[in-house]
Amino acid sequence: MSASFLFFLGITFFVLHEIDAVRCKEWHIFPGLSQLSDLWGKRIFLLAHIPIGYFIFWQLTASESPEIFKTGFDVFLLIHLVAHLVYLKHVKNQFKDWISWTFIVGAGICGLFDLIF
C-alpha cells in the first residue's frame, strides 16, 4: 500500500467530513461563529472553505514542496481528530452518529499511517 493511497484516502475522509460538518452545523462549535445566526454562520463557514480548498489543491499541484505539505496535512488530520475528541461533550456538537465518526476517525487514521509508512 503506497503512502499516496493513504494520503488521498485521508483527504477524501476529510472532504466528506467537511460536507457532513454543514449538516451538523459545525460553526455552532467555533468561538465567534457560534454567536452568529445560522444563516451567517453557515455562509462564513462555507466561504472560509474556498481558500482552504484552493490552498490544498495548490500545494498538491503547483508548489515546489508537496511532500512537506503532505506531512503537515497528515499531522493536521491527527490534530483535527484530537480536537473533535476534546469537543465531544460540547453542548452544540452534532457529530454523534457513526457516519460522522467514520469520516473524522478515518481521516485521522490515514494521517497517522501515512506518517508511519
Side-chain angles (χ1 to χ4, degrees), residues 13 17 20 77 80-81 84 95 99-109:
F13 277 126
H17 163 64
D20 190 45
L77 292 177
H80 178 262
L81 171 58
H84 273 280
F95 296 104
I99 194 77
S100 293
W101 281 95
T102 298
F103 301 149
I104 295 166
V105 174
I109 289 172

Side-chain angles (χ1 to χ4, degrees), residues 13 16-17 20 23-24 26 29 77-78 80-90 93-109:
F13 277 126
L16 289 170
H17 163 64
D20 190 45
R23 177 186 67 91
C24 292
E26 189 173 26
I29 300 171
L77 292 177
L78 290 170
H80 178 262
L81 171 58
V82 170
H84 273 280
L85 291 170
V86 168
Y87 281 90
L88 188 59
K89 302 261 185 204
H90 189 284
N93 184 353
Q94 295 184 36
F95 296 104
K96 301 291 185 183
D97 60 1
W98 67 270
I99 194 77
S100 293
W101 281 95
T102 298
F103 301 149
I104 295 166
V105 174
I109 289 172

Side-chain angles (χ1 to χ4, degrees), residues 3 29 60 75 113:
I29 300 171
L60 292 173
V75 171
F113 286 157

